[in-house]
Amino acid sequence: MSENNPFPNENNTGHFWDDNLRELSNDPPGWWRIGFHASWIFCIIYFILYPALPTLSGYTTGTLGWTQVGEYNEDLAAIDQVRSKWEDQINDPNVTAAMIVADDELRNYTIRSAKVLFGDYCSACHGAGGAGNAAMSVSESGYPVLADDDWLYGGTIEQIQTTITNGRKGIMTPYGARLSAEEIDDLAQHVVALSEGGEHAAGKALFMEPTKGGCFACHGMDAKGMSALGSANLTDVVWRFSPGGLESARHTITHGVNGELMDPQSRNAVMPAFGPLGKNLSEGTIKKLAVYVHQLGGGQ
Ligand code: HEC
Ligand code: HEC
């Protein structure tokens, strides 16, 4: 091939095919060489400055001392600094939950940060966003909705904070052993009638008779309940023990609530304590949760 090289002056290798196709040995273009040298120089500088090569016992750390974890921690510290402005106020014992509610910026921060706390500590029982967990059958008790304006123990920010700190255990004695089935039925009918704005004469008499029902002692003369006892308001359409109605009322009256020592079928309705007597969350955390529950819908 090389004997009849048609381009004797070119920097070629002497390889030709089909007369016109030839292999040259020119230097690569300038831009390519600059790129090539820049990239290996970059590699060496990078390897010196940053963690790069695995070694038997770990890796080369680089002269800058940079690590991913370090960068992450720096970011966290920056976030903490932004947060501490709010956190310091919330954790200050002189700042009450009511004061947090009254301060727009502080309240908004608190609600956002409490959302995660609620998911961690509360939603297993009270459902996402406090939507409650309905009982699946008459004998189950379910968990109350927190996102409405119906409260067993009161919906002021202070009452909600007390509920979360100390827990709650409303007690209703079982009537199964004390009253006849007919009397219990009359009472259940009365309770259902109350929730529909009416009443049931025989049931009402038992409700008001101390030696029989004596229900008024806890539920009040007007049957509207007392927040100090957590005795449900019987005159509204909201049932603590869903689905409500006759069967459910009969079950509650017969077996009572949290009276398992007197009746093993008694309803179980205990709100656990999250303060020093229970899970021992910090006061600031409990304030956050109280503010969050308070704004869910029905804070008073
Ligand atoms: C183990 C289940 C459980 C967990 C966890 C739980 N609760 Fe409760 N909570 C209950 C029950 C049951 C009641 C109702 C008690 C009753 O019927 O007397 C209740 C009642 C309440 C009430 C009172 C509602 C009213 O109508 O007055 C509030 C407020 C409340 N819970 C908030 C919380 C918050 C906030 C958390 C998380 C920190 C939480 N609960 C975690 C079971 C739970
Ligand atoms: C010792 C106080 C006490 C007495 C007496 C009492 N109750 Fe209750 N009752 C409660 C409490 C507390 C609750 C709410 C329980 C809870 O949610 O933890 C309740 C709940 C109920 C409920 C369930 C309401 C709902 O929304 O699901 C019904 C029904 C009821 N009571 C009817 C009666 C009747 C009828 C009598 C009289 C025969 C009576 N109670 C006597 C304390 C009492």
Side-chain angles (χ1 to χ4, degrees):
M1 304 189 250
S2 50
E3 314 73 78
N4 49 359
N5 181 353
F7 310 103
N9 298 326
E10 267 192 343
N11 204 2
N12 61 52
T13 59
H15 298 158
F16 297 94
W17 298 268
D18 292 344
D19 292 345
N20 289 324
L21 199 60
R22 63 196 192 278
E23 184 176 54
L24 303 178
S25 66
N26 292 328
D27 281 340
W31 64 262
W32 188 92
R33 274 184 293 166
I34 292 170
F36 170 74
H37 292 299
S39 55
W40 68 258
I41 292 168
F42 171 84
C43 282
I44 290 182
I45 295 175
Y46 184 95
F47 276 38
I48 292 171
L49 295 179
Y50 289 96
L53 296 170
T55 62
L56 282 182
S57 59
Y59 56 90
T60 58
T61 52
T63 54
L64 286 184
W66 180 92
T67 62
Q68 252 176 3
V69 174
E71 185 168 280
Y72 172 72
N73 285 339
E74 269 169 38
D75 285 354
L76 272 192
I79 293 171
D80 275 351
Q81 231 207 319
V82 176
R83 282 187 182 157
S84 69
K85 180 180 160 204
W86 311 117
E87 292 289 334
D88 290 351
Q89 291 183 62
I90 294 167
N91 290 320
D92 181 343
N94 295 321
V95 175
T96 64
M99 286 157 79
I100 299 175
V101 171
D103 180 324
D104 285 350
E105 271 186 63
L106 195 52
R107 185 185 62 238
N108 286 339
Y109 169 82
T110 302
I111 289 166
R112 263 179 283 137
S113 94
K115 212 170 177 169
V116 179
L117 295 169
F118 191 86
D120 286 350
Y121 295 114
C122 321
S123 57
C125 289
H126 290 290
N133 264 316
M136 289 301 159
S137 71
V138 165
S139 59
E140 283 174 29
S141 301
Y143 298 98
V145 178
L146 300 179
D148 62 9
D149 58 359
D150 188 74
W151 299 95
L152 291 161
Y153 299 96
T156 68
I157 184 76
E158 291 82 12
Q159 285 165 318
I160 293 171
Q161 193 175 352
T162 305
T163 297
I164 302 170
T165 306
N166 301 332
R168 298 285 193 182
K169 188 174 181 180
I171 296 196
M172 172 166 157
T173 41
Y175 285 84
R178 283 189 275 160
L179 300 179
S180 71
E182 199 190 331
E183 286 168 325
I184 288 179
D185 197 62
D186 284 342
L187 283 161
Q189 303 251 21
H190 179 53
V191 169
V192 172
L194 282 174
S195 74
E196 289 159 359
E199 56 182 51
H200 180 279
K204 186 179 184 185
L206 290 163
F207 193 91
M208 291 300 188
E209 171 52 53
T211 62
K212 288 289 188 179
C215 321
F216 70 89
C218 292
H219 288 282
M221 302 294 268
D222 55 4
K224 289 205 160 106
M226 300 180 192
S227 62
L229 298 175
S231 50
N233 181 348
L234 302 178
T235 64
D236 59 13
V237 291
V238 181
W239 293 92
R240 160 65 182 89
F241 300 113
S242 49
L246 202 56
E247 268 304 300
S248 182
R250 208 184 276 129
H251 187 96
T252 307
I253 300 167
T254 307
H255 303 292
V257 181
N258 290 323
E260 58 283 343
L261 291 178
M262 292 168 271
D263 183 331
Q265 276 178 274
S266 192
R267 290 189 183 283
N268 183 316
V270 180
M271 162 65 191
F274 285 85
L277 298 174
K279 294 238 168 14
N280 208 6
L281 300 186
S282 76
E283 209 188 312
T285 303
I286 290 181
K287 270 188 257 178
K288 282 186 186 175
L289 287 162
V291 170
Y292 180 79
V293 171
H294 185 257
Q295 64 78 48
L296 273 178
Q300 291 156 2

